[in-house]
Amino acid sequence: KDVQKEREPHVYLSKEEVKEKIQSYNSSVTDKLKMTLNANGIYTGFIKVQMELCRPITVQSSQSQGRCVPSNQETAFYLPDGCVNTLHISSTNTVREVIEALLKKFFVADNPAKFALYKRCHKEDQVYTCKLSDREHPLYLRLVAGPKTEMLSFVLREHETGEVMWEAFSIPELQNFLRILDKEENDQLQILKNRYAAYRGKLEEAVRGVLKPG
């Protein structure tokens, strides 16, 4: 079972330290997904993100891709469990940008604010999971941890139930939630009415039996 781990402080590396770490990183890579250091000090590389989504996602059709308005050419479905995606990013890309890139790659129409990126570390037979802030840089974390996913892996999840950001949902989605709540309320109300109607019938039958002559 995952346990929560406090976020580690960000240690800023000099350009020379970054160069040395990238050389060490590339020497340990086994899947050819190496990092590249540019002359301006920005480096690029790859990260793998496991998709652990419990709720269905809304995917745009080819006709509606690129539009900013809701379309009836959208389909909701569940992603296969354990689906892993590889992204090529730079050291300047933030967690929020990585989430947006992942959703864009899958043509997901849902608001990025519904999702959170986690880092998962394996230490001493324990699994530590920590939600990353939007301002953190995943490629830096990958560089520091090295290429082995056993040391560090990334996971995309929905925000936890207690952290639902209602402003991230579209008006049609919120209206649909209200319709569902109205239906549930009416169903529960009808159940109560039927229950009390049955009680009333039994009481009236009992009263008629008591008042019956003879």
Side-chain angles (χ1 to χ4, degrees), residues 24-44:
S24 175
Y25 183 97
N26 290 340
S27 66
S28 303
V29 167
T30 57
D31 54 10
K32 298 182 180 180
L33 301 180
K34 297 184 177 182
M35 293 194 187
T36 302
L37 179 62
N38 301 315
N40 58 4
I42 296 174
Y43 51 97
T44 59

Side-chain angles (χ1 to χ4, degrees), residues 19 25 44 74 78 81 86 102 113 142 144-145 158 161 178 184-185 196 204 213:
K19 182 179 179 180
Y25 183 97
T44 59
E74 295 179 347
Y78 287 92
D81 189 31
T86 302
L102 273 172
R142 179 80 278 162
V144 172
E158 298 98 344
T161 305
L178 288 174
E184 290 180 351
E185 182 180 5
Y196 282 103
E204 290 176 347

Side-chain angles (χ1 to χ4, degrees), residues 26-209:
N26 290 340
S27 66
S28 303
V29 167
T30 57
D31 54 10
K32 298 182 180 180
L33 301 180
K34 297 184 177 182
M35 293 194 187
T36 302
L37 179 62
N38 301 315
N40 58 4
I42 296 174
Y43 51 97
T44 59
F46 299 85
I47 62 169
K48 295 180 180 180
V49 182
Q50 184 170 349
M51 315 290 276
E52 292 186 355
L53 304 181
C54 299
R55 296 190 288 270
I57 57 173
T58 303
V59 178
Q60 298 175 332
S61 68
S62 57
Q63 290 83 4
S64 62
Q65 288 167 16
R67 298 179 184 176
C68 298
V69 296
S71 168
N72 56 6
Q73 301 293 324
E74 295 179 347
T75 304
F77 71 97
Y78 287 92
L79 274 180
D81 189 31
C83 178
V84 177
N85 205 336
T86 302
L87 283 180
H88 185 253
I89 62 174
S90 80
S91 56
T92 62
N93 288 134
T94 63
V95 164
R96 180 52 45 189
E97 290 170 336
V98 166
I99 293 175
E100 291 172 353
L102 273 172
L103 300 183
K104 184 177 180 181
K105 194 170 184 179
F106 277 101
F107 303 113
V108 177
D110 297 88
N111 193 315
K114 297 179 184 179
F115 304 92
L117 191 67
Y118 290 74
K119 67 175 181 179
R120 180 179 291 162
C121 306
H122 300 254
K123 291 182 180 180
E124 299 177 356
D125 297 326
Q126 290 276 16
V127 180
Y128 299 91
T129 301
C130 177
K131 188 174 77 170
L132 300 172
S133 73
D134 288 348
R135 296 182 299 276
E136 293 189 77
H137 300 86
L139 194 61
Y140 166 82
L141 299 175
R142 179 80 278 162
L143 175 64
V144 172
K148 293 183 179 180
T149 54
E150 294 83 4
M151 298 298 297
L152 172 74
S153 59
F154 296 104
V155 180
L156 183 72
R157 295 176 177 172
E158 298 98 344
H159 279 290
E160 296 175 1
T161 305
E163 302 175 357
V164 175
M165 302 176 66
W166 295 110
E167 65 272 17
F169 291 85
S170 65
I171 296 299
E173 287 177 314
L174 294 173
Q175 290 174 336
N176 189 47
F177 293 155
L178 288 174
R179 284 193 292 270
I180 292 173
L181 287 175
D182 287 339
K183 184 180 183 304
E184 290 180 351
E185 182 180 5
N186 290 332
D187 290 345
Q188 291 299 320
L189 184 60
Q190 189 60 48
I191 291 173
L192 286 174
K193 286 182 177 180
N194 293 340
R195 183 184 302 169
Y196 282 103
Y199 289 159
R200 179 182 293 275
K202 291 180 179 180
L203 285 171
E204 290 176 347
E205 184 180 347
V207 169
R208 286 195 297 269

